[in-house]
Amino acid sequence: MVAETYETTGAGAQPEGDFDAVVIGAGAAGLYALHRLRGLGLSVRVFEQGDGVGGTWYWNRYPGARCDVESWDYCYSFSEELEQEWDWTERFPSQPELERYFNHVADRFDLRRDIQFDTRVERAGFDEGRNRWIIDTSGGATVSARFLVSAAGCLSEVNKPVIPGAETFAGVQLHTARWPDEGVDVAGKRVGVIGTGSSGVQVIPQVARTADHVYVFQRTAQYTVPARNRLLDDEARQELRDSFAERQKFKRTTPAGLSRPVVPASSDLDAAARAEILEASWQRGGPGFAMTIDDILTNPESNERAARFVRDKVRAKVDDQAVAEKLVDIDFPIGARRLIVDIDYFETYNRDNVTLVDVKAAPITEITSGGLRTLDAHYDLDVLVYATGFDGMTGALLSMDIRGVGGLALRDKWADGAGTYIGLVASGFPNLFMITGPGSPAVFSNVMLSIEQHVDWIADCLAHMVEGGFERIDADPEAEARWTRLVEDLVARSIVGKTNSWWTGANIPGKPRGITMYLGGTHNYRAACDEVAANGYEGFTLTRPADPA
Ligand code: NAP
């Protein structure tokens, strides 16, 4: 396909490049999108705000950052050669290893030449006359593209709460997802950490090793289970190589997209058998704990038994029982928030240099030049770490000013909730595709497999358009409404999300509440997307240049 030249209709300069497709972000999704779309013969430009590839694994370089999906599943499956030549060293890959992997992928598939680093997409408006997106970037350049693909990520827009006095702090303040490349020396320092989600639980044991003292500001206690991370030996790697084809096939049939999923035991069990299964899962480690018995996420009694099991384990690990009780004071069902997977988290509270501060009982009131004040005390600090998470699912998309038909802003369309059709498109925003967008399984799955499935579906759709001479595709509002209702119904039937968290948008003031992930399983989601395509892109309107508008 030959790139054409179009004039911008926006107020900015003339386009400085005209592409078949612009991809936003060079993380796992953006890299694969570039590879696939380029393979169709399309001209593609990727804009990436960082100066390197890897997305999540580029930004989240705090000590202890590690994936909680096993390495043999948290990787691409589109290339057997790539899989065969890459050696994972651990069960759960660390941030440095993942960053190396994505750099290897970028080099191996010669992707860098189409990526423009240090460049944010600020605005994108759909030019209805030409059926093209006009895209303004942070560097001041304006480009145009027939198709716009967001690979901006569903956990990339940082949530940093505004705390009075933050600007007066004399020490170092930093967010886990913006950790500097050169690291931060906490040796001998007094460090405060706000937040005990996955990021906090990973960073706290690491900083505690060298800091003079660590104050953990915990607002909501969380369920966390041991990772039981381990090194992989040559035999394990060979076994993974040998089983490549079989694993790839199998994981596409499983709800979470994992090749070695936890197979839930039937709930028809007596108390002793239940305890035995939970113990075995605890010893195995990893995030499958709440799936160990098939009624944990649906039956409140079974859920409470599993929750009690975890609380008792924590009490046994923590020496000071007053501290243990604060750590297990959890008022929501297990599985209602994303289960955290930890390495030596609870054991860290047995160190003399770690103090748990309950900021639910005595909330944070201000940051001072010398530290942090709660309702009942002041904590002197040299370093303040915000492990306060992200504006999930919609944050990165809405951080850009995206305008569709009639100049409608995506922010306005989603003011009361992020409706999409099959999690990939939003009606009224033609030729815009979202990878791991709202209404898709996103991170409620092995996100690497979801990314590949989304990109493959989008690439097939674009190939269909090119072959059929279509230049515009838009979702029908009724189809979008039906899909959005399905997503909501699946959420309503589950324990998942029955408490405040980033999953429900409750961590961001003013954000509409509700889980916007498809909870029906990646295998069912894939089937639904495939059916839409097989039925001639049912629920979409495709338009050729000559067709009346
Ligand atoms: P998070 O789960 O949203 O946790 C944020 C933490 O900050 C919570 O403890 C929250 O308390 C606290 N917080 C926020 N604002 C606060 C305030 N004003 N005062 C006191 N506490 C405040 O964020 P995250 O830990 O970065 O994890 C987000 C997601 O990223 C995870 O669920 C996971 O999907 C992904 N992740 C995965 C890994 C991994 O693979 N192992 C690692 C890191 C992140 P409340 O709970 O009271 O709001």
Side-chain angles (χ1 to χ4, degrees):
M1 197 173 179
V2 178
E4 300 161 84
T5 305
Y6 289 84
E7 284 175 27
T8 178
T9 55
Q14 294 290 304
E16 295 181 21
D18 304 293
F19 302 94
D20 295 324
V22 158
V23 174
I24 306 169
L31 292 179
Y32 184 50
L34 170 57
H35 177 66
R36 277 291 269 124
L37 300 191
R38 217 162 63 176
L40 295 176
L42 303 182
S43 61
V44 186
R45 170 60 53 93
V46 178
F47 293 110
E48 164 55 53
Q49 62 179 326
D51 68 1
V53 299
T56 286
W57 304 107
Y58 166 89
W59 293 105
N60 288 267
R61 49 183 71 243
Y62 59 86
R66 184 179 293 282
C67 186
D68 60 7
V69 176
E70 283 140 332
S71 52
W72 50 83
D73 281 332
Y74 198 87
C75 54
Y76 295 113
S77 58
F78 69 87
S79 162
E80 177 156 9
E81 294 73 31
L82 170 64
E83 166 99 359
Q84 297 292 346
E85 74 198 14
W86 184 261
D87 278 335
W88 291 111
T89 64
E90 295 180 82
R91 175 183 180 189
F92 293 109
S94 66
Q95 178 273 332
E97 183 159 30
L98 285 161
E99 194 183 16
R100 276 199 301 281
Y101 175 73
F102 289 110
N103 275 283
H104 171 72
V105 170
D107 293 334
R108 192 190 192 289
F109 297 98
D110 187 22
L111 300 177
R112 289 181 208 277
R113 64 186 157 89
D114 289 321
I115 304 173
Q116 189 170 321
F117 291 102
D118 295 312
T119 309
R120 247 186 78 79
V121 168
E122 302 285 8
R123 276 173 299 279
F126 189 67
D127 177 344
E128 294 174 58
R130 296 178 174 84
N131 288 329
R132 289 184 76 85
W133 283 94
I134 309 299
I135 298 145
D136 294 332
T137 67
S138 54
T142 299
V143 302
S144 88
R146 170 75 69 219
F147 304 109
L148 181 59
V149 179
S150 172
C154 47
L155 280 168
S156 49
E157 185 68 12
V158 160
N159 171 39
K160 190 164 176 231
V162 178
I163 301 175
E167 69 289 352
T168 67
F169 185 57
V172 174
Q173 299 186 73
L174 68 168
H175 193 284
T176 44
R178 291 293 179 271
W179 206 269
D181 201 10
E182 65 278 13
V184 179
D185 184 9
V186 295
K189 305 252 171 69
R190 297 160 302 177
V191 182
V193 180
I194 304 177
T196 52
S198 297
S199 303
V201 162
Q202 288 186 333
V203 78
I204 288 161
Q206 298 297 321
V207 294
R209 288 178 175 188
T210 53
D212 171 58
H213 203 94
V214 179
Y215 295 94
V216 178
F217 300 104
Q218 171 191 277
R219 189 165 64 183
T220 304
Q222 299 254 38
Y223 298 102
T224 151
V225 299
R228 312 259 184 236
N229 188 36
R230 61 171 190 273
L231 292 174
L232 299 179
D233 58 19
D234 287 344
E235 195 184 330
R237 278 191 285 271
Q238 192 54 48
E239 198 269 316
L240 289 169
R241 288 201 172 93
D242 294 344
S243 60
F244 174 80
E246 179 199 325
R247 285 187 297 110
Q248 301 318 327
K249 204 165 146 205
F250 180 67
K251 70 184 179 186
R252 285 165 171 72
T253 67
T254 63
L258 298 170
S259 64
R260 294 172 179 177
V262 170
V263 180
S266 158
S267 47
D268 187 15
L269 297 163
D270 62 25
R274 266 179 191 271
E276 208 174 296
I277 287 169
L278 293 175
E279 180 64 31
S281 177
W282 184 265
Q283 294 308 330
R284 199 166 47 243
F289 182 83
M291 314 294 279
T292 312
I293 302 172
D294 67 11
D295 65 349
I296 293 178
L297 294 181
T298 50
N299 173 356
E301 265 178 50
S302 171
N303 189 282
E304 175 49 26
R305 272 194 291 259
R308 203 182 314 134
F309 178 94
V310 175
R311 290 197 292 260
D312 286 347
K313 288 288 187 189
V314 176
R315 289 184 180 109
K317 283 185 188 210
V318 177
D319 297 342
D320 182 336
Q321 287 305 296
V323 173
E325 286 312 311
K326 282 185 202 162
L327 290 166
V328 298
D329 183 18
I330 310 174
D331 59 0
F332 54 87
I334 189 163
R337 280 182 171 208
R338 181 172 162 124
L339 195 59
I340 298 174
V341 175
D342 75 87
I343 298 177
D344 295 339
Y345 176 61
F346 294 112
E347 292 80 349
T348 300
Y349 291 97
N350 295 336
R351 298 177 66 108
D352 292 340
N353 70 335
V354 177
T355 302
L356 181 67
V357 181
D358 180 356
V359 295
K360 191 192 227 168
I364 296 169
T365 53
E366 64 169 336
I367 293 171
T368 64
S369 62
L372 183 146
R373 196 184 308 283
T374 66
L375 259 189
D376 60 6
H378 184 273
Y379 298 88
D380 296 340
L381 302 174
D382 306 303
V383 178
L384 180 56
V385 176
Y386 292 76
T388 47
F390 304 91
D391 181 354
M393 299 308 294
T394 54
L397 279 157
L398 297 184
S399 73
M400 301 172 278
D401 183 8
I402 299 180
R403 296 193 177 245
V405 171
L408 177 66
L410 192 58
R411 286 178 195 143
D412 291 335
K413 177 182 166 75
W414 285 352
D416 298 322
T420 64
Y421 182 42
I422 58 170
L424 295 172
V425 295
S427 170
F429 292 77
N431 298 6
L432 168 68
F433 297 88
M434 295 168 278
I435 305 170
T436 66
S440 80
V443 282
F444 204 78
S445 67
N446 169 11
V447 76
M448 289 299 291
L449 190 69
S450 284
I451 282 170
E452 285 188 312
Q453 184 251 327
H454 297 184
V455 170
D456 288 339
W457 192 95
I458 293 165
D460 291 348
C461 176
L462 300 197
H464 172 81
M465 290 184 69
V466 171
E467 280 159 23
F470 297 106
E471 65 173 25
R472 173 173 165 152
I473 184 168
D474 198 1
D476 301 334
E478 307 74 38
E480 178 175 282
R482 271 198 307 279
W483 183 262
T484 304
R485 264 198 309 278
L486 170 68
V487 170
E488 288 166 356
D489 288 350
L490 288 166
V491 170
R493 277 186 251 149
S494 170
I495 242 169
V496 165
K498 297 285 179 284
T499 187
N500 290 339
S501 75
W502 76 261
W503 271 1
T504 59
N507 63 332
I508 304 297
K511 186 167 176 167
R513 295 288 174 93
I515 290 197
T516 55
M517 283 180 281
Y518 173 89
L519 304 187
T522 50
H523 56 329
N524 292 328
Y525 175 77
R526 178 185 297 272
C529 293
D530 289 350
E531 195 179 329
V532 165
N535 290 342
Y537 292 91
E538 189 178 13
F540 284 97
T541 300
L542 285 96
T543 317
R544 292 193 174 89
D547 292 347

